[in-house]
């Protein structure tokens, strides 16, 4: 069964909290925080004091990781 994060639709974007993004990518939240600190993970933004990810950016980043591995 595919894992899809619970998300909030905001305008044309669907946003995920860091916990939801971690679940979608199947990595610990701490790993996403580290990647964000190092600038190597998916694009993110702090909105209203929370780190948010656009679902399309999570999917694009994941696809890039598979492309690099090929």
């Amino acid at each position: 069964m595919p894992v899809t994060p619970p998300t909030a639709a905001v305008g044309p974007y669907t946003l995920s909290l860091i916990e939801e993004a971690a679940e979608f990518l199947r990595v610990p939240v701490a790993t996403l925080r580290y990647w964000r600190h190092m600038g190597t993970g998916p694009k993110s933004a702090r909105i209203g004091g929370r780190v948010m990810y656009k679902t399309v950016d999570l999917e694009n980043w994941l696809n890039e990781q598979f492309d690099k591995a090929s």
Side-chain angles (χ1 to χ4, degrees):
M1 180 167 108
V3 177
T4 54
T7 54
V10 178
Y13 304 115
T14 304
L15 301 176
S16 298
L17 296 171
I18 192 168
E19 295 84 4
E20 297 164 340
E23 183 179 340
F24 176 74
L25 296 173
R26 298 183 181 189
V27 299
V29 171
T31 299
L32 265 184
R33 287 187 180 126
Y34 178 72
W35 288 343
R36 187 169 190 267
H37 170 75
M38 298 299 292
T40 59
K43 293 180 191 176
S44 62
R46 186 170 291 277
I47 301 170
R50 294 180 162 185
V51 176
M52 304 289 279
Y53 294 84
K54 290 192 291 187
T55 302
V56 68
D57 288 338
L58 293 172
E59 293 168 349
N60 289 341
W61 182 84
L62 189 58
N63 288 330
E64 288 172 11
Q65 302 315 299
F66 278 98
D67 291 344
K68 288 179 188 177
S70 300

